[in-house]
Amino acid sequence: MEWKLSIISDEISQDFEHSVKVIKELGANYVEVRNLWNKNVTQLSDSEFVEMKKIVEKYGMMISNLDSPTFKIYINDEKGYREHLQILRKVVELSKKLDIDYTRIFTFWYEGELKYYIDKLAEKFGNAIDIASSEGITLVIENEYSCLVGTGKDLRAFLDKIKSKWVKVLWDPGNAFFARETPYPDGYELIKNDILHVHVKDAIVRDGHFVWMPVGKGMINYREQFKAMKGRPYVISLETHYRNSANDPEASTKESFEGILKILNQID
């Protein structure tokens, strides 16, 4: 398969083995691990971590990355900040055990435009960058509409501010859309050379409200976005967020993944 495709397991089920089985059947070759067995991956015991690895190997899959919630807190929450640096240390330790050389990070909850917080944000990232550089792990910032960095434009501004080789991008067109950016081409063009991982979800605006949709049935131009990504080495990971009328996460994820394959087949 030319495309490296992944699915976040908990978008299907908290039953990790069931999720991996479904991901394999759908035709992805990677599993992205966030929450499993009703806990975040950073909260797993040593034996649970071993069990997680065994399940992935059993189905002949690979883990694309481990998702901690690092810095999904308010920027002035000092107690939370210290706790989240510990979470970051933990996910870095676990990632290294899997030979994964990057980990996802956020940019604190949104309290206003980035320009008012960029100096403080750069200061707060200092300790995280120290951890990353000492361990040889790159931090990939996920643009998140509920955080200070929500768009490609914000990512570019912040990357230019901190100028660290240890900080790159987890590009999420769906989040950029929710943050009122046109993800492709506008956001993508600003950060395309700094992307290490991609999350895929689609959305529309219906009666003034943002609504998640199956990939290919929303307003995001994934055909051109995927075309621009063709040949790039990173993994494209489904994080559907969409739920069908029955509110069935597994069926909804399948519908979205089939939407991805349909678009990719048109490109090939």
Side-chain angles (χ1 to χ4, degrees):
M1 183 186 292
E2 181 186 352
W3 299 91
K4 295 179 179 177
L5 300 179
S6 182
I7 298 175
I8 298 179
S9 68
D10 62 59
E11 292 272 337
I12 295 168
S13 172
Q14 288 293 326
D15 178 338
F16 187 64
E17 180 157 10
H18 176 72
S19 292
V20 174
K21 185 170 178 284
V22 170
I23 292 168
K24 172 85 171 177
E25 287 168 355
L26 284 172
N29 36 18
Y30 289 85
V31 179
E32 183 164 343
V33 186
R34 181 172 55 196
N35 300 316
L36 63 166
W37 305 315
N38 297 304
K39 56 176 81 173
N40 184 256
V41 65
T42 58
Q43 298 168 318
L44 296 180
S45 66
D46 291 347
S47 61
E48 286 170 331
F49 185 77
V50 170
E51 178 65 15
M52 176 195 79
K53 276 181 66 180
K54 279 182 181 168
I55 289 169
V56 174
E57 288 163 6
K58 175 182 170 182
Y59 289 90
M61 306 287 282
M62 292 173 283
I63 295 175
S64 59
N65 59 313
L66 304 178
D67 291 339
S68 80
T70 302
F71 292 169
K72 266 197 167 182
I73 49 172
Y74 286 104
I75 200 164
N76 292 315
D77 177 357
E78 285 304 319
K79 180 172 179 285
Y81 178 67
R82 289 191 296 274
E83 289 169 355
H84 275 240
L85 287 175
Q86 289 305 117
I87 291 171
L88 177 60
R89 287 189 180 96
K90 182 66 177 177
V91 77
V92 164
E93 174 198 326
L94 297 179
S95 297
K96 288 179 77 171
K97 286 182 179 177
L98 299 170
D99 295 321
I100 296 169
D101 60 5
Y102 63 89
T103 191
R104 185 267 300 274
I105 194 168
F106 292 102
T107 52
F108 302 92
W109 295 128
Y110 184 87
E111 295 181 70
E113 287 183 56
L114 176 63
K115 63 185 177 184
Y116 299 115
Y117 292 90
I118 195 164
D119 291 340
K120 183 98 186 242
L121 184 57
E123 178 194 324
K124 291 285 188 183
F125 255 70
N127 288 323
I129 292 168
D130 287 346
I131 292 167
S133 62
S134 67
E135 297 292 340
I137 295 281
T138 302
L139 305 174
V140 287
I141 295 175
E142 177 171 351
N143 59 296
E144 163 63 64
Y145 60 93
S146 59
C147 292
L148 291 169
V149 171
T151 62
K153 184 181 178 185
D154 291 340
L155 283 163
R156 183 73 269 146
F158 189 54
L159 291 175
D160 289 347
K161 171 77 175 177
I162 55 178
K163 294 184 173 66
S164 172
K165 70 174 185 176
W166 297 105
V167 183
K168 297 293 183 182
V169 170
L170 191 167
W171 176 231
D172 190 316
N175 284 344
F177 183 78
F178 260 57
R180 290 168 167 76
E181 180 175 65
T182 300
Y184 184 85
D186 297 10
Y188 175 76
E189 284 296 324
L190 293 171
I191 45 82
K192 63 185 179 184
N193 295 322
D194 291 293
I195 296 171
L196 289 187
H197 190 68
V198 176
H199 279 174
V200 172
K201 44 189 182 273
D202 210 344
I204 59 168
V205 178
R206 183 187 290 149
D207 301 327
H209 298 283
F210 288 88
V211 180
W212 298 117
M213 294 293 287
V215 176
K217 294 188 177 174
M219 293 175 170
I220 298 170
N221 188 353
Y222 273 113
R223 191 166 190 279
E224 294 305 313
Q225 176 68 93
F226 289 154
K227 202 185 280 188
M229 290 176 179
K230 189 174 181 184
R232 301 264 178 167
Y234 42 71
V235 176
I236 294 172
S237 190
L238 175 63
E239 183 192 21
T240 184
H241 280 10
Y242 155 75
R243 292 293 178 264
N244 64 11
S245 56
N247 197 31
D248 181 331
E250 183 177 325
S252 304
T253 296
K254 285 179 176 177
E255 190 179 345
S256 259
F257 193 75
E258 284 159 7
I260 291 176
L261 293 179
K262 187 177 176 184
I263 297 167
L264 294 181
N265 287 334
Q266 290 170 353
I267 294 169
D268 289 338

